[in-house]
Amino acid sequence: GLWMGWERKRGKLAEYNHFLRGGAQDSFSEIVGDVESLRKVRFVITLDADTVLPPDAAPLLVGALAHPLNRAHYDKTRGRVTQGYGILQPRISVTFTSAAGSLFARLYSGHTGVDPYTTAVSDTYQDLFGEGIFTGKGLYDVDAFTAALHDSVPENTLLSHDLFEGLHARVALVSDVELVDEYPASVLAHARRQHRWIRGDWQILFWLFPFVPSRRALKRNTLPLISRWKILDNLRRSLLAPTLLVLAVAGWTILPAPRWFWTAIVITVLASQLLPVFARLLIGPRRSQSFPVFLGNLRRDTATALAQIFLSVTFLAFHAFDTAHAIVVTLVRLVTRRRLLEW
């Protein structure tokens, strides 16, 4: 009942890719200049309005994706990229201005800046399986991207399409190229974003099963096990807050053993973000890093982690309710087929 453009961002990318490969221009309300040169474009960078592209990031991404060892190989029988990469995902950091915008942002935005060597970077999926996760900001190969997503998405069903596109076009995390993004300034702004992300994650629930919907009909699911695990892992993560709240309430009402035992379990799970601090304490300072500087950084990181734990405990009930609401709303909408693209 409102005008928002076809399929939101995913639709814009699909229409633009169609235009780049010779399609009509009638999907665009305003066209300026000679656009014929665009028909030869190989790569496209997608950015959100609040994302900053630092100098030299674009040519580094293009050079990496154009490398012969990284070129995408599309498998027609499986309907996805199976070798090389169709998407490059840079690491994302937070702008100084948004990180300093509020106490909440300062606590949760982490290390800021554009120097990739100030913070250790790693991704389990990339390190172990050679595939990262697409978060919507990066570089993609037009031909590989278009082929992998062709007729694979039913209309008006995917709100959070980034993970889905990455599973089909295959993503590589480029940790030494960095984009800078804004961070929510308040708990409520962050909660609204999390609510949208959780709804988007649960809307691709069907891609865990042997047969999945497509634009035309049901078809066999050709996603490998690790791709389905990425979907399941997002769903598992969204269930953490409701599960901890249920455990805490049950521990104080119906479960055996002392109440402090169940409370301690909940707090221990929420306090797991102290583990990286303990790991750095055991490893000690890096080379060329003085011991006083090491202790100062460790003290600040410990204080930040303790503040995050305190806020996690404080807002546990709120986050659990908000998460449960997002999950239930999504499951209902998957049946009614209405408002699945609500932002």
Side-chain angles (χ1 to χ4, degrees), residues 73-126:
H73 172 72
Y74 174 72
D75 189 326
K76 292 183 179 179
T77 59
R78 299 181 182 179
R80 57 184 176 86
V81 175
T82 55
Q83 295 180 347
Y85 300 100
I87 303 174
L88 293 187
Q89 173 62 60
R91 58 187 291 237
I92 308 293
S93 67
V94 179
T95 62
F96 287 108
T97 52
S98 67
S102 67
L103 177 60
F104 174 79
R106 288 197 296 273
L107 287 175
Y108 281 92
S109 57
H111 297 276
T112 60
V114 293
D115 178 8
Y117 302 104
T118 56
T119 308
V121 290
S122 180
D123 179 82
T124 303
Y125 292 115
Q126 183 69 52

Side-chain angles (χ1 to χ4, degrees), residues 15 29 39 45 73 80 109 114 127 137 163 171 178 191 250 259 263 322 342:
E15 296 288 88
S29 59
R39 309 286 191 176
I45 295 179
H73 172 72
R80 57 184 176 86
S109 57
V114 293
D127 295 342
K137 294 173 274 283
L163 174 62
V171 186
E178 188 171 24
R259 295 173 178 176
T263 305
D322 200 50
E342 182 188 18

Side-chain angles (χ1 to χ4, degrees), residues 34-65:
D34 180 15
V35 296
E36 287 306 312
S37 59
L38 294 177
R39 309 286 191 176
K40 301 176 183 178
V41 167
R42 269 185 72 188
F43 305 120
V44 171
I45 295 179
T46 70
L47 301 172
D48 290 338
D50 58 355
T51 305
V52 178
L53 183 69
D56 296 332
L60 287 173
L61 290 172
V62 171
L65 198 55

Side-chain angles (χ1 to χ4, degrees), residues 260-305:
W260 65 262
F261 173 76
W262 301 108
T263 305
I265 289 180
V266 172
I267 295 177
T268 300
V269 173
L270 294 175
S272 60
Q273 54 218 46
L274 279 172
L275 292 177
V277 178
F278 289 140
R280 286 198 295 274
L281 179 63
L282 293 175
I283 295 173
R286 300 190 304 270
R287 289 184 180 181
S288 73
Q289 185 183 39
S290 66
F291 197 70
V293 171
F294 167 73
L295 286 181
N297 291 339
L298 195 66
R299 184 173 61 254
R300 285 191 296 271
D301 290 345
T302 303
T304 299

Side-chain angles (χ1 to χ4, degrees), residues 191-209:
R192 284 193 294 268
R193 187 172 73 167
Q194 288 294 120
H195 192 277
R196 182 175 69 249
W197 285 354
I198 291 170
R199 285 189 287 117
D201 289 337
W202 279 84
Q203 282 180 205
I204 57 175
L205 173 68
F206 294 134
W207 276 266
L208 292 174
F209 303 126

